[in-house]
Amino acid sequence: MNTPDIVSADEWDTARRQLLVKEKELTRARDAMAALRRRMPWTPVDKTYEFDGPDGTVNLLDLFDGRRQLIVYRAFLDPGVHGWPDHGCVGCSLMADHIGNLAHLNARDTTLVYASRGPQVDIQRIKAGMGWDIPWYTMLPHPGSAFDVDFGVDQWHGTNAFVRDGDQIYRTYFIDSRGDEIFVNTWHFLDMTALGRQEVWEDSPDGYPQSKPYEWWSWHDNYPEHTPSRWFGDPDPDDPHDPRPPR
């Protein structure tokens, strides 16, 4: 493995201070992006969307739970995904593992929920088995509207943000593909380590351990038995934005 230079503590501190300049630039760039998001135009949501939840059928307004803002992550706990019916999508499960105490979001008048196509009986069973405490709803078909289709998450995961003014709902922002990485601190912890995420796409020194992206992921209760797989499927050759790597 081609390791970086081995230096004294003083030399290391000097190198770290030099890199800190770039760290501060990244922080300011992230703040600037958040400021642009706050200035995005809003678009009204005028269709009816229904969901099944632990207490029965609810609509999109109900998901706000009385708060002003709503974040909806579309998770693939759906019949037919790899691992069903014992698990949901590996990547969506990894995301769910990183959701902490929602009281902090709620304190800022914001509600977070997950939405899938799977029946509530299966969602509740999987949630209990995986130890997730996330409000999780089943998207229901409705004439002329389908939540996942209308909000860009029928074929791929994504996170939509909404705000309400009384009963009028507006869509304010949407994050998908690698944008969702911000919600998974495992990757950010790895990004600060010497070896990084250890995936082949990374710019690392020669000889660093690297494996194919996605294939090392597993459900948190399955790593001892995990073997690499292509649960995420092959890329669509007609879609230049498909993030999946080729076989």
Side-chain angles (χ1 to χ4, degrees), residues 3-20:
T3 63
D5 294 336
I6 307 300
V7 299
S8 68
D10 287 343
E11 291 171 314
W12 181 92
D13 193 56
T14 297
R16 191 259 174 181
R17 288 198 302 271
Q18 291 172 346
L19 191 55
L20 185 59

Side-chain angles (χ1 to χ4, degrees), residues 4-5 13 17 19 32 34 40 52 62 79 85 89 99 102-103 114 117 125 128 132 164-165 171 176 195-196 208 212:
D5 294 336
D13 193 56
R17 288 198 302 271
L19 191 55
M40 270 283 294
D52 189 21
D62 294 325
C89 158
I99 302 299
L102 295 176
Y114 273 35
R117 291 178 182 165
R125 173 177 47 78
W132 297 329
R164 69 181 182 90
D165 183 5
R171 189 189 194 195
D176 65 350
L195 301 182
Y208 271 44
K212 293 181 179 179

Side-chain angles (χ1 to χ4, degrees), residues 73-78 81-82 84 87-99 113-117 126-127 130 132 134 136 139 153-159 177 180 183-184 187 214 217-220 231-232:
Y73 176 70
R74 194 309 197 206
F76 282 78
L77 259 66
D78 299 359
V81 302
H82 174 65
W84 190 266
H87 292 94
C89 158
V90 175
C92 295
S93 299
L94 191 154
M95 290 273 293
D97 284 340
H98 290 79
I99 302 299
V113 304
Y114 273 35
S116 301
R117 291 178 182 165
I126 294 172
K127 279 181 56 178
M130 298 295 280
W132 297 329
I134 305 169
W136 209 308
M139 298 175 290
V153 288
D154 57 324
Q155 298 297 322
W156 200 249
H157 64 88
T159 307
S177 297
D180 281 334
F183 308 126
V184 179
W187 295 322
Y214 305 101
W217 299 359
S218 188
W219 302 289
H220 68 241
W231 60 267
F232 50 85

